[in-house]
Amino acid sequence: MARHLITSAIPYINGIKHLGNLVGSQLPADLYARYMRARGHEVLFLCATDEHGTPAELAAAKAGKPVAEYCADMHAVQARIADGFGLSFDHFGRSSSPQNHALTQHFAARLAEAGLIREVAEKQVYSHADKRFLPDRYIEGTCPNCGYDKARGDQCENCTKQLDPTDLIDARSAISGSTDLEVRETKHLYLRQSELKGELDAWIDSKRDWPILTTSIAKKWLHDGDGLQDRGITRDLDWGIPVRKGADPWPGMEGKVFYVWFDAPIEYIACAGEWAEATGQDDAAWERWWRTDKGAEDVRYTQFMGKDNVPFHTLSFPATLIGSGEPWKMVDHLKSFNYLNYDGGQFSTSQGRGIFMDQALGLLPADYWRWWLLSNAPESSDSEFTWDSFQNTVNKDLADVLGNFVSRITKFCRSKFGEAVPDGGSYGADEAALIAELTDRVARYSEMMDAMEVRKSARELRAIWACGNEYLQRVAPWSTFKTDPDQAAAQTRLGLNLAHLFGTLSAPFVPSASQRILESMRVEMTSWPDDVEAFLAQLPAGHSFDVPEVLFAKVTDDAREEWKARFSGAAPA
RNA sequence: GGCGUUAUAGCUCAGUUGGUUAGAGCGAACGACUCAUAAUCGUUAGGUCGGUGGUUCAAGUCCACCUAACGCCA
């Protein structure tokens, strides 16, 4: 038994995430966590909400709530939706937790002691009306290059020219519209990650089995242009973790907070602390997952994220851990994903384009979405959601191949032998061939799951389901029954055991349906079927079962068309 | 402009360190079966592996250049 620490990139607090966000991190992380648990390994699967920063403050203001209250509410909303999707976090934490405050300040102190923090004086735009410094993108004005009047302080969206806020003509706050702006000098802390460039480079080089997507992004940031740049890790905001040197004040940094990108990854660690607290355990309980001097040296740590998060996880966060000089557990495998597009374009939160997690659950059970998303995960390149593909895939794979298999074998048995596994007959060449094929396929499926090859795993699982239908078609117990009822009984017995096998193997992908299959077969989820032959003998003659209701109702053409229209992002109804 | 990813049958994609007739699922056509959510199973469908030029006894699989899509950065 191994120990697996698994984290999903933590979703930002300001709203409900869309399916693209889901498939890029939380869902594959859940797949892996469920699989590892099913194999009998010890798993700690953590996720949290990323709560700090300007967008959270603005979203709270828009909602008319204090930011702390807004974040608490949205955390509850995201937690409920995650639960709806069957995301099996051991803990769903918050980056605003006391644990993260303490840990973030601790890391900053350690980095300062190591000489890896420097102060930089910068000029930033202050808005008197908003009583705050404005990030570049929250300043609007007329582009000096093309005259577009809604250019942002970082870039003009019309002519794409890169801008400084001070370049803008008639600059105004994007928040209040106020033009009462002032350029002020302010000091910030920078993480000198360029000092660690060599170490990070060597570390990345040692990760030969990471996805190309991951290492190519990391290498680019390390070597592109002038190489790895130092990053500001503080901001002039109210909402965040106050800049302190451990428990002590940080002279000159009063009223400032750490930048969200500094504290967010630290939440992976803090979240383990939150988990320990929530489950009534002491610090040693979480430290054995995170401190290699306190029991974590045999932990295998895997992170899941979309490609936009890779630089922070391969460079900035490791720089923080290495720079601390303390024995923190570093990531062992970093599985990254490309983007999921929606029907010819990108998912868009602002334009309401695409499908959001809460809406998805309002249409169909989570298993439908899990199956489509995982079996089409954007691993090698961006992939695209279309309603036609979704309907076709879930109807064919889930309803026709898996659902119908369980249905046909249980109903056949009920009509000929009653609702218990029939006795009599024995296995012959057909059964041996089936068991041999399944042994081979289950081994390959397990290999693919170990390797986090999501699409390939899904494909292999589907092939395993198809084996059940192929077997029934080949031996045709409905025909055998007429001439040799004992032989038909043996075939049916094997068929029912196949349902048990499928229920177990499918659990990481479609946990609810798997649960229903196992319940109707009246068995608990037990061991992983490494020995297929032995596993297929677990339901003995006489074992009673129930015929389940339809496992997967099909998506109709009418529903597909209605949803396609409803989620087009065109004129809102 | 720099960099990266991708470009394989109508569609979605597999194709280990280069090596016999390039594979799967879906769709399509035909056939079988009738237990089942009109579900299933089988057979077939002949794609110059984006283009050009190289390396090699041998390249979809390595190299160079080109083209296209997407993305990141400046």
Side-chain angles (χ1 to χ4, degrees):
Chain A
M1 183 168 104
R3 299 173 61 213
H4 286 269
L5 173 63
I6 300 167
T7 60
S8 157
I10 64 178
Y12 200 66
I13 192 70
N14 71 337
I16 292 163
K17 303 295 111 177
H18 55 60
L19 296 185
N21 299 126
L22 178 65
V23 74
S25 53
Q26 293 175 318
L27 194 50
D30 181 68
L31 179 78
Y32 191 60
R34 284 178 178 274
Y35 169 70
M36 284 303 172
R37 291 194 196 102
R39 299 301 309 257
H41 298 309
E42 186 179 1
V43 169
L44 185 65
F45 177 27
L46 302 174
C47 192
T49 41
D50 177 12
E51 305 194 356
H52 297 131
T54 307
E57 291 186 313
L58 297 180
K62 193 175 176 186
K65 291 178 182 176
V67 64
E69 182 184 331
Y70 172 82
C71 287
D73 291 350
M74 284 308 299
H75 176 267
V77 169
Q78 291 209 21
R80 180 167 45 76
I81 294 172
D83 190 53
F85 268 95
L87 302 176
S88 60
F89 308 132
D90 289 295
H91 190 74
F92 187 59
R94 304 181 58 186
S95 71
S96 60
S97 68
Q99 286 87 348
N100 198 35
H101 277 240
L103 208 49
T104 298
Q105 291 163 344
H106 166 80
F107 273 110
R110 294 288 305 186
L111 291 166
E113 287 164 24
L116 292 170
I117 300 281
R118 62 184 167 94
E119 287 189 15
V120 174
E122 300 182 322
K123 287 187 168 42
Q124 273 208 302
V125 174
Y126 184 83
S127 165
H128 291 281
D130 298 305
K131 294 189 172 51
R132 62 189 300 155
F133 283 92
L134 297 176
D136 291 354
R137 67 176 184 280
Y138 286 109
I139 302 161
E140 283 182 352
T142 300
C143 175
N145 188 47
C146 72
Y148 181 60
D149 67 354
K150 289 194 179 100
R152 300 193 321 192
D154 55 346
Q155 184 179 30
C156 174
E157 288 180 330
N158 188 49
C159 68
T160 74
K161 183 176 174 57
Q162 301 286 310
L163 300 171
D164 266 342
T166 49
D167 295 336
L168 294 171
I169 299 163
D170 298 329
R172 61 185 182 275
S173 163
I175 300 167
S176 62
S178 168
T179 55
D180 186 10
L181 306 179
E182 175 190 338
V183 176
R184 287 187 182 176
E185 184 163 294
T186 179
K187 280 196 298 185
H188 282 294
L189 301 181
Y190 272 63
L191 173 62
R192 300 175 63 195
Q193 54 187 17
S194 57
E195 290 290 309
L196 298 168
K197 180 181 170 187
E199 260 182 275
L200 291 169
D201 208 4
W203 179 65
I204 298 291
D205 275 337
S206 73
K207 305 300 183 185
R208 307 303 303 179
D209 61 337
W210 286 11
I212 294 170
L213 183 65
T214 303
T215 49
S216 68
I217 291 173
K219 283 293 185 181
K220 193 177 87 62
W221 280 60
L222 276 167
H223 300 296
D224 206 37
D226 297 328
L228 186 60
Q229 301 297 301
D230 293 344
R231 290 189 71 93
I233 59 165
T234 55
R235 287 294 184 273
D236 292 291
L237 292 177
D238 295 326
W239 175 238
I241 296 176
V243 178
R244 299 179 71 87
K245 209 175 273 187
D248 302 325
W250 199 311
M253 287 292 130
E254 295 80 5
K256 298 178 192 295
V257 299
F258 286 106
Y259 184 31
V260 59
W261 265 113
F262 183 67
D263 77 65
I266 296 172
E267 168 62 13
Y268 289 139
I269 306 173
C271 187
E274 294 171 49
W275 162 77
E277 182 182 51
T279 51
Q281 303 182 84
D282 57 15
D283 284 346
W286 71 264
E287 286 174 341
R288 67 187 279 273
W289 288 98
W290 273 105
R291 291 287 295 239
T292 56
D293 58 336
K294 296 178 180 177
E297 58 284 307
D298 67 334
V299 167
R300 178 163 169 86
Y301 177 23
T302 307
Q303 294 178 340
F304 290 82
M305 70 197 67
K307 59 185 172 186
D308 51 327
N309 275 330
V310 169
F312 302 99
H313 289 78
T314 52
L315 304 170
S316 299
F317 185 44
T320 299
L321 297 181
I322 293 171
S324 75
E326 296 171 330
W328 295 100
K329 177 67 194 169
M330 303 276 286
V331 64
D332 291 302
H333 194 89
L334 198 157
K335 176 75 176 179
S336 56
F337 290 85
N338 287 285
Y339 293 140
L340 178 69
N341 291 319
Y342 177 78
D343 215 1
Q346 297 193 336
F347 277 83
S348 168
T349 304
S350 57
Q351 295 173 37
R353 192 156 189 289
I355 312 160
F356 292 78
M357 287 171 71
D358 56 336
Q359 298 172 324
L361 290 177
L363 303 183
L364 290 167
D367 283 349
Y368 287 73
W369 302 104
R370 291 177 63 104
W371 179 253
W372 190 90
L373 290 169
L374 290 168
S375 58
N376 291 281
E379 288 178 300
S380 57
S381 64
D382 291 355
S383 65
E384 176 165 316
F385 178 93
T386 64
W387 286 103
D388 291 347
S389 165
F390 177 74
Q391 179 198 29
N392 188 54
T393 300
V394 298
N395 283 357
K396 194 74 191 168
D397 295 351
L398 298 181
D400 295 348
V401 177
L402 175 60
N404 184 51
F405 173 80
V406 176
S407 185
R408 68 192 295 202
I409 189 62
T410 52
K411 287 183 179 175
F412 175 76
C413 184
R414 179 174 62 184
S415 72
K416 304 298 186 205
F417 302 103
E419 289 179 81
V421 178
D423 196 4
S426 58
Y427 294 171
D430 285 321
E431 288 68 32
L434 172 66
I435 288 168
E437 179 174 4
L438 284 172
T439 297
D440 193 44
R441 288 195 179 278
V442 169
R444 200 149 53 220
Y445 173 59
S446 302
E447 265 177 48
M448 290 300 112
M449 290 293 277
D450 281 329
M452 285 163 269
E453 291 280 1
V454 177
R455 301 173 78 126
K456 289 179 182 173
S457 298
R459 189 206 291 200
E460 196 59 50
L461 179 58
R462 187 195 181 285
I464 288 169
W465 297 337
C467 283
N469 285 313
E470 290 165 19
Y471 171 72
L472 288 188
Q473 212 63 32
R474 186 162 59 245
V475 301
W478 47 90
S479 297
T480 317
F481 184 77
K482 296 169 188 166
T483 57
D484 186 351
D486 270 358
Q487 181 61 15
Q491 293 162 346
T492 304
R493 190 162 65 246
L494 183 52
L496 291 166
N497 273 283
L498 286 175
H500 177 208
L501 178 73
F502 297 169
T504 300
L505 292 174
S506 308
F509 279 90
V510 286
S512 301
S514 281
Q515 184 62 33
R516 289 175 58 199
I517 292 172
L518 294 179
E519 278 172 8
S520 63
M521 300 317 295
R522 298 195 192 176
V523 286
E524 298 286 320
M525 176 91 175
T526 53
S527 62
W528 192 255
D530 284 311
D531 183 339
V532 172
E533 183 165 17
F535 194 93
L536 290 175
Q538 287 193 15
L539 299 186
H543 179 93
S544 54
F545 65 89
D546 305 297
V547 173
E549 293 301 305
V550 168
L551 285 168
F552 297 100
K554 292 200 192 189
V555 175
T556 64
D557 291 352
D558 287 347
R560 182 198 64 204
E561 289 308 312
E562 195 230 313
W563 296 339
K564 192 186 286 186
R566 198 199 307 176
F567 292 96
S568 66

